[in-house]
Amino acid sequence: MQVLQVQLEVGPDPAEVGRARRWARSRLAGSGIGDDEPLAETLVLLISELVTNAVVHTGCPAVLRMLFGAGCPEAGTVRVEVADSSDRPPRPRHAHGDDTNGRGLELVDGLADRWGWQREGAGKSIWCEVDRGAPMTPPAPAAGPAALTSTVGSVAGSAGSVGSAGSAGSVGAAASAASGASAASSGTSVHC
């Protein structure tokens, strides 16, 4: 089975997140995933969250990669990876009430079929996978950000930890719940 990999270098500027979304949409369309398909919306939201986390929380350049045909051949898995030069593992935070940040990794956990992180060179790569053949079902009405926290805390353990299998569901409710997600820096400095 062939795997197509495309990648984009992302600068350490939050404005780069919009460029990454536009780039991802064009690559998804080129792979046959229409811009109006729920799968495309889910993948673009996942990319937006992971790139935002890399740029905002590390202040370093990052590399966005999309792999088409990764994983199970029957499902046609799409894998998204964001690598940065920070060796600091991802640290899930739990937003409360009207908090405007802290929902990024919870959102990834709820939308991706699988996700995790691994050491890459002197830094790390955070990845997620969405199976193209997986049904795109909307989350249950009560599924807000708090409902997405089932095992997101497990990723903070060691390299290669994996979050739970998500629903790969509709992004409408999750997107509105995540407005402003990952918008603030953690306050610790990182050397690029």
Side-chain angles (χ1 to χ4, degrees):
M1 170 177 175
Q2 291 186 347
V3 174
L4 171 64
Q5 176 177 323
V6 293
Q7 73 178 35
L8 172 71
E9 293 184 18
V10 179
D13 177 357
E16 288 282 275
V17 177
R19 185 173 74 91
R21 282 192 300 264
R22 289 187 299 278
W23 177 85
R25 282 188 189 100
S26 72
R27 297 314 177 270
L28 290 168
S31 74
I33 301 172
D35 200 32
D36 59 344
E37 292 182 42
L39 176 62
E41 294 174 9
T42 298
L43 287 165
V44 169
L45 181 56
L46 289 166
I47 287 165
S48 184
E49 290 301 324
L50 293 179
V51 171
T52 298
N53 284 349
V55 170
V56 171
H57 295 297
T58 71
C60 300
V63 176
L64 165 61
R65 291 186 287 259
M66 292 192 319
L67 293 85
F68 299 92
C72 176
E74 301 82 45
T77 300
V78 179
R79 182 178 175 108
V80 172
E81 299 177 353
V82 177
D84 62 55
S85 59
S86 169
D87 64 352
R88 204 175 50 203
R91 195 183 85 222
R93 297 180 306 163
H94 301 287
H96 301 286
D98 292 335
D99 290 352
T100 58
N101 55 42
R103 292 181 175 89
L105 291 177
E106 291 180 5
L107 200 57
V108 170
D109 186 59
L111 293 174
D113 290 304
R114 290 163 299 284
W115 74 282
W117 71 281
Q118 60 203 24
R119 299 273 179 215
E120 184 171 307
K124 68 180 171 308
S125 173
I126 300 178
W127 58 268
C128 64
E129 294 179 340
V130 176
D131 297 330
R132 291 177 81 168
M136 301 299 289
T137 57
L148 298 177
T149 62
S150 59
T151 61
V152 72
S154 67
V155 76
S158 61
S161 295
V162 179
S164 69
S167 65
S170 166
V171 296
S176 64
S179 60
S182 306
S185 172
S186 64
T188 55
S189 62
V190 176
H191 300 285
C192 300

